[in-house]
């Protein structure tokens, strides 16, 4: 089963041994970040550094000045990795070690955009803006994301891409010094807190037969038990219907699915138009529960596999978690890449990778993704190497 490991360019640039070390684990492919959000990351094996602070969302290559000239929304450039094109430099080194490079493009997750262009952000039912979450119903945002997908995906030396956050982002966010866990929000409450009420979304609800003000009031009423501590554990779509009512809940989901689906179609089409040939593989990080928001966007399995070449699915956890994400794709044709966290310090389980990967394969997974080769410790990578030797990483 083909395996690919996630990597940042800064894990490779300045480390002449990085590419060969990764190839020795048994992976044949690397999913290399070309457009990424802000983060603080360890580089535990780099000869010259131990911490990289990516201060804001940025592209890790020189953006095309002609493409972005005169536009209000454009990619931010980075300053934390040496060189003009760290993605290109890393990709060349990885290819030199015999590894196929695919790009990793984060789309609707950009806190700096929200700070500098607050009108682009998701606005919740209380009027609070989420600067990390660009609203994909806004035409300027959609145009920016589609062009970013095409440019960041199709870099020289790249054979495919994975689009992350290609859909709705919402309340959940790994924010610095986060103080939001005082009230535990269940899956359903998170959906309600992720509904957007910007001007474009309000108009969108109207086109779907909803009164935006009545919906906003209904969402706030539905969340009152959550804030009082008497209704914070509702899970799944049934929980959303319980909180908001089946009619209102269904209407919001239908409209949001249409918006997300059309963005995904446009982004994939733009990548394919820019790709060097028909063999360029386009995957989306996804979740089959269509109401979910975040990095793994909620999708309809049949629709997404008719749009893209496949999906990358979160498979860390127990058997039930894998069955929940892989089961809805049963019988459908396309790449089903089971994504496993292999960083023990971040909740991963590299020691059970062989068993977990075999279980995913029994459910239809036909590729593996390993998050994240640059962040993993030496013992974690040794466990990955042993597992791939047993299950076959090619």
């Amino acid at each position: 089963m083909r395996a690919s490991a996630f990597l940042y360019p800064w894990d490779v640039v300045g480390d002449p041994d990085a590419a060969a070390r990764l190839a020795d684990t048994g992976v044949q492919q690397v999913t290399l970040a070309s457009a990424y959000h802000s983060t603080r990351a360890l580089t535990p094996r780099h000869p010259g550094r131990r911490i990289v602070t990516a201060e804001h969302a940025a592209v890790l290559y020189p953006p095309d000045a002609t493409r972005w000239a005169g536009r209000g929304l454009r990619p931010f450039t980075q300053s934390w990795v040496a060189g003009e094109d760290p993605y290109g430099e890393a990709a060349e080194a990885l290819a030199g070690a015999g590894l196929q490079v695919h790009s990793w493009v984060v789309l609707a997750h950009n806190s700096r955009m929200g700070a500098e262009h607050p009108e682009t952000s998701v606005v919740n039912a209380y009027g609070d803006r989420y600067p990390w979450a660009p609203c994909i119903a806004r035409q300027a945002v959609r145009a920016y994301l589609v062009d970013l997908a095409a440019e960041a995906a199709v870099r020289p030396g790249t054979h495919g891409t994975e689009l992350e956050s290609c859909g709705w982002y919402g309340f959940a966010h790994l924010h610095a010094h986060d103080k939001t866990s005082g009230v535990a929000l269940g899956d359903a409450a998170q959906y309600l807190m992720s509904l957007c009420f910007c001007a474009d979304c309000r108009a969108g609800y109207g086109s779907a037969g909803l009164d935006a003000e009545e919906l906003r009031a209904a969402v706030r009423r539905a969340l009152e038990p959550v804030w009082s501590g008497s209704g914070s554990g509702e899970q799944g779509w049934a929980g959303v219907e319980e909180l908001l009512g089946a009619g209102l809940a269904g209407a919001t989901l239908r409209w949001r699915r249409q918006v997300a689906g059309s963005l995904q179609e446009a982004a994939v089409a733009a990548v394919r138009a820019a790709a060097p040939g028909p063999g360029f593989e386009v995957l989306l990080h996804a979740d089959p529960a269509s109401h979910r928001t975040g990095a793994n966007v909620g999708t309809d399995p049949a629709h997404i596999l008719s749009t893209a070449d496949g999906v990358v699915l979160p498979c860390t956890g127990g058997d039930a978690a894998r069955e929940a994400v892989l089961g809805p794709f049963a019988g459908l044709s396309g790449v089903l890449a089971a994504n496993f966290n292999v960083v023990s310090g971040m909740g991963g389980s590299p020691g059970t990778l062989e068993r977990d990967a075999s279980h995913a394969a029994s459910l239809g997974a036909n590729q593996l993704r390993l998050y994240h080769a640059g962040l993993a410790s030496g013992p974690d990578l040794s466990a990955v190497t042993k597992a791939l030797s047993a299950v076959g990483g090619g």
Side-chain angles (χ1 to χ4, degrees):
M1 188 156 50
R2 187 174 186 84
S4 182
F6 291 98
L7 211 62
Y8 302 129
W10 58 75
D11 296 318
V12 181
V13 174
D15 184 353
D17 299 323
R21 185 169 56 239
L22 184 57
D24 287 343
T25 65
V27 301
Q28 289 195 339
Q29 181 179 311
V30 175
T31 306
L32 181 67
S34 61
Y36 204 70
H37 55 72
S38 57
T39 192
R40 185 172 70 111
L42 280 174
T43 56
R45 286 165 296 280
H46 198 282
R49 69 172 77 93
R50 285 295 174 268
I51 294 287
V52 170
T53 303
E55 297 175 350
H56 53 77
V59 295
L60 292 146
Y61 59 85
D64 180 358
T66 302
R67 179 192 294 268
W68 302 105
R71 296 176 63 167
L73 301 182
R74 66 188 73 182
F76 298 105
T77 55
Q78 64 87 36
S79 60
W80 42 89
V81 192
E84 181 184 359
D85 186 4
Y87 177 92
E89 184 178 344
E92 184 176 3
L94 293 163
L99 295 162
Q100 190 177 95
V101 176
H102 289 215
S103 57
W104 176 16
V105 182
V106 175
L107 293 173
H109 181 187
N110 191 326
S111 298
R112 183 170 173 182
M113 178 188 290
E116 295 191 8
H117 302 277
E119 74 283 358
T120 65
S121 300
V122 166
V123 182
N124 71 19
Y126 299 89
D128 310 311
R129 291 187 179 273
Y130 297 160
W132 59 87
C135 176
I136 64 171
R138 297 187 66 87
Q139 289 304 309
V141 170
R142 290 169 65 85
Y144 164 77
L145 294 177
V146 169
D147 275 0
L148 176 62
E151 181 181 83
V154 186
R155 308 307 307 157
T158 301
H159 296 268
T161 192
E162 295 180 17
L163 306 180
E164 180 182 314
S165 304
C166 189
W168 290 100
Y169 218 88
F171 171 79
H173 183 231
L174 293 175
H175 198 280
H177 308 292
D178 206 40
K179 306 287 184 180
T180 61
S181 58
V183 175
L185 296 182
D187 185 54
Q190 291 222 19
Y191 176 80
L192 297 189
M193 284 293 288
S194 297
L195 289 177
C196 183
F197 288 87
C198 73
D200 292 79
C201 285
R202 291 164 65 91
Y205 295 138
S207 70
L210 297 173
D211 182 288
E213 271 305 303
E214 291 180 3
L215 175 61
R216 178 174 171 271
V219 169
R220 293 175 63 154
R221 286 195 302 271
L223 286 166
E224 278 307 304
V226 176
W227 309 131
S228 70
S230 61
S232 60
E234 298 84 356
Q235 295 297 325
W237 185 246
V240 178
E241 292 181 327
E242 180 182 342
L243 285 175
L244 192 58
L248 278 181
T252 64
L253 184 61
R254 285 190 294 275
W255 183 74
R256 285 167 64 87
R257 284 174 61 172
Q258 184 274 323
V259 172
S262 63
L263 170 64
Q264 290 153 10
E265 291 169 2
V268 171
V271 171
R272 286 181 172 151
F280 194 91
E281 187 176 77
V282 184
L283 307 183
L284 266 71
H285 288 223
D287 188 308
S290 58
H291 67 284
R292 297 262 167 77
T293 64
N296 301 305
V297 296
T299 57
D300 171 74
H303 175 264
I304 200 60
L305 289 184
S306 70
T307 301
D309 296 307
V311 289
V312 180
L313 300 168
C315 287
T316 297
D319 290 1
R322 279 185 290 280
E323 290 163 2
V325 294
L326 285 164
F329 291 91
L332 299 175
S333 177
V335 174
L336 300 182
N339 188 9
F340 289 98
N341 182 345
V342 295
V343 184
S344 296
M346 297 172 63
S349 182
T352 63
L353 179 60
E354 177 184 348
R355 188 265 174 199
D356 295 341
S358 295
H359 180 242
S362 74
L363 297 169
N366 47 35
Q367 291 191 21
L368 294 178
R369 293 295 179 274
L370 308 175
Y371 183 91
H372 174 298
L375 302 172
S377 68
D380 287 344
L381 289 185
S382 294
V384 166
T385 302
K386 180 179 178 181
L388 291 183
S389 177
V391 303

